[in-house]
Amino acid sequence: MARITASVYTSHVPAIGAALDLGKSGEDYWKPVFAGYDFGKEWIKEQKPDVIFLVYNDHATAFSLDLIPTFALGTGASFTPADEGWGPRPVPMVHGHPELAAHIAQSVIQDDFDLTLVNKMEVDHGLTVPLSLMFGQPEAWPCKVIPFAVNVVQYPVPSGRRCFQIGQAIRKAVESFDEDLNVQIWGTGGMSHQLQGPRAGLINREWDNRFLDRLIADPADLSTMPHIDYVREAGSEGIELVMWLIARGAMADVAGGAQPTVKQRFYHVPASNTAVGHLILENN
Ligand code: DHB
Ligand code: FE
């Protein structure tokens, strides 16, 4: 059977992608950011996941005010890196896993979560920057990636509770797929940041670190936090953090299994206009 072996959490700051693409990752400003991912890069080489179920948000790239799916599952065979205004990032094509994605669609929708299915979609920095952080700059991504796009851009956004519940349904779906696959689930976006308005530049270290503590130790309690608390404390774009609850909800302990092991925890300020957070939890 397919198994969810670990969850990875990371910010997706576009300037991190640009720093890599433009050969600036060795500069003094960026060195401490990339150093936080040295462990994860080695760890994932040993883990060799077959598939990453990558929870991220689109930033008005594939979707727009014309069409606003709350939860969009990428069921296609491949997904092209998008041009976000400076040409597409020089990163490999993303290859999906249509069979597993179709199985997840069947299971999660029959579990009463109304997903949007997307067979064709371009993917923006929300998806490609986390891949770059964990895999560096390979010729091809070393595994399949199922994109799962969550609307955290246009209100109303889904609640943390809903995200935590859908994570549990995704776990059930993956672990009932009849093929031996090592599957990781990633939660991306965050941490505290606000990109516009009078509070642009807002960063809240204390709140971010408390969020990491609670995500590790008591995600069910964290999932009850209302969206307005994210926005007030972590800035308007801090709401991206609800996506981390999807990955956390898919871990074994939430379904009555053992507590995960914290393999990596990293926090750094600043990276462009935001705080960077990164966590790796491994199932036991
Ligand atoms: C920026 C954009 C993002 O989508 C994000 O999550 C963090 C920062 C930016 O433009 O700096
Ligand atoms: Fe973002």
Side-chain angles (χ1 to χ4, degrees), residues 65 72 78 111 186 195 197 206 279:
L65 292 179
S78 61
D111 263 344
W186 292 13
L195 302 174
E206 205 177 310
L279 204 59

Side-chain angles (χ1 to χ4, degrees), residues 97-120:
H97 195 305
E99 297 79 15
L100 177 58
H103 172 81
I104 293 171
Q106 164 75 20
S107 177
V108 171
I109 291 173
Q110 288 301 318
D111 263 344
D112 303 334
F113 295 88
D114 309 316
L115 304 182
T116 299
L117 306 184
V118 190
N119 289 315
K120 186 163 186 242

Side-chain angles (χ1 to χ4, degrees), residues 12 14 59 125 193 195 240 272-274:
H12 63 213
H59 300 75
H125 68 271
H193 63 300
L195 302 174
E240 289 180 341
S272 179
N273 305 305
T274 106

Side-chain angles (χ1 to χ4, degrees), residues 11-14 57-59 124-126 152-153 188-190 193 195 237 240 243 274:
S11 306
H12 63 213
V13 192
N57 70 289
D58 180 76
H59 300 75
D124 73 9
H125 68 271
V152 289
V153 168
T188 65
H193 63 300
L195 302 174
E237 279 68 51
E240 289 180 341
M243 297 185 289
T274 106

Side-chain angles (χ1 to χ4, degrees), residues 21 81-90:
D21 301 344
D83 181 350
E84 297 179 64
W86 295 270
R89 289 193 61 213

